[in-house]
Amino acid sequence: MYLETKRLIIRDYEGSDRDNYFRLKNDAKTMYYLQDIKFSSRQESDEEFEQILEDAKKKERTFYFLHIELKDSHEQVGSIGYTVKARTPVGKLVHAGYFTYPKFWNNGYVTEAFHKVLEFAFLEDDVYRVTTGCFAENVGSEKVMRKCGLIKEAEHIDWEWHDGKMKTRLEYRLLKNEWNKIQL
C-alpha cells in the first residue's frame, strides 16, 4: 500500500523500517496517550513488526498500520492506520489511530494523512464504518477527527485511569455515506 499527499508519503512498513518503528513506539512523548501500545522492549517491537509485515502480504488484511514520512526528506513523521474489527455484507468495520513525533504536531500532517487514509478506506478498501477516539484533554487529536469530518458519538466521563487520574474519553465515527456527503 502506498499513498501520497502534497507533503507526505503514507506506505506499508518495510523491513528497513524496523528500528524506526521501535523508536517511534518507544518514545514517551509520542506515546503518552497510547501507553497501552507503547513498547517497553525491543523484543515486543520486533514481534509486532513481524506480524505487521506478514499481515501486509495477505489478501484479507487485518492491520493497515502505515508509515508516514515527509515527501521531501523521507524523515519519519509517525504512524497511521486502522484495524479491521469485522467484515459485514455492507463493508468493513474498522478502528483507526495515529501518532506522530511531537516535533510534527500542529503542522496539519496528521489531518492530511488521515484524510488520505479515509479516502483509501472508503473508495478502495470497502470500509463502511470508521471509529476512533481520544482522551478529552487531547485537543489536537480531537481537532484532527473533526477536520476530517468524523462525528462525535460518545463522551465517557472518567472512563480510564491514566497518568495518576481518571480521564474522559471521546468516541468518534464516520460512515461511508457520511464521508460521501462531505466530499461533494
Side-chain angles (χ1 to χ4, degrees):
M1 190 170 151
Y2 182 92
L3 307 170
E4 281 191 32
T5 67
K6 181 179 179 184
R7 303 179 294 166
L8 303 170
I9 295 170
I10 307 152
R11 61 168 175 80
D12 276 322
Y13 279 99
E14 302 167 351
S16 61
D17 296 319
R18 183 180 305 275
D19 292 339
N20 285 336
Y21 187 75
F22 172 68
R23 258 191 306 281
L24 179 69
K25 287 197 68 177
N26 190 51
D27 184 83
K29 286 185 179 180
T30 300
M31 302 306 292
Y32 175 73
Y33 288 115
L34 299 165
Q35 293 176 7
D36 59 325
I37 62 169
K38 180 184 179 288
F39 292 133
S40 57
S41 75
R42 181 60 188 246
Q43 181 180 344
E44 282 179 309
S45 177
D46 287 348
E47 288 171 4
E48 182 175 285
F49 191 74
E50 284 303 317
Q51 289 176 340
I52 290 168
L53 293 179
E54 285 302 311
D55 190 72
K57 296 175 189 173
K58 295 178 182 175
K59 183 178 180 185
E60 290 289 322
R61 291 173 73 158
T62 300
F63 306 110
Y64 290 81
F65 297 132
L66 308 169
H67 170 89
I68 308 168
E69 65 184 51
L70 296 176
K71 222 183 223 184
D72 58 355
S73 68
H74 297 285
E75 182 179 5
Q76 181 186 33
V77 172
S79 191
I80 193 165
Y82 55 86
T83 301
V84 178
K85 295 296 189 178
R87 289 175 170 82
T88 73
V90 295
K92 297 175 187 174
L93 310 180
V94 304
H95 187 75
Y98 43 79
F99 43 93
T100 61
Y101 285 113
K103 77 182 212 174
F104 296 110
W105 294 352
N106 300 312
N107 290 296
Y109 292 129
V110 177
T111 301
E112 188 175 322
F114 195 36
H115 180 77
K116 192 67 174 179
V117 168
L118 290 170
E119 180 181 277
F120 168 82
F122 290 126
L123 292 180
E124 298 180 46
D125 197 36
D126 192 35
V127 169
Y128 176 75
R129 179 184 173 94
V130 174
T131 60
T132 192
C134 66
F135 286 129
E137 69 184 49
N138 191 352
V139 176
S141 185
E142 186 180 16
K143 281 182 183 176
V144 168
M145 294 174 213
R146 287 183 173 172
K147 286 180 181 179
C148 289
L150 277 76
I151 298 163
K152 186 186 210 179
E153 278 196 315
E155 182 172 348
H156 302 289
I157 307 299
D158 288 347
W159 179 256
E160 187 175 330
W161 183 259
H162 179 265
D163 201 19
K165 60 185 171 184
M166 293 302 294
K167 293 191 178 177
T168 297
R169 180 163 175 85
L170 307 175
E171 297 291 337
Y172 278 76
R173 68 126 206 292
L174 188 61
L175 303 177
K176 185 173 186 170
N177 67 334
E178 295 166 336
W179 183 83
N180 285 335
K181 287 177 188 173
I182 61 177
Q183 300 312 303
L184 300 175

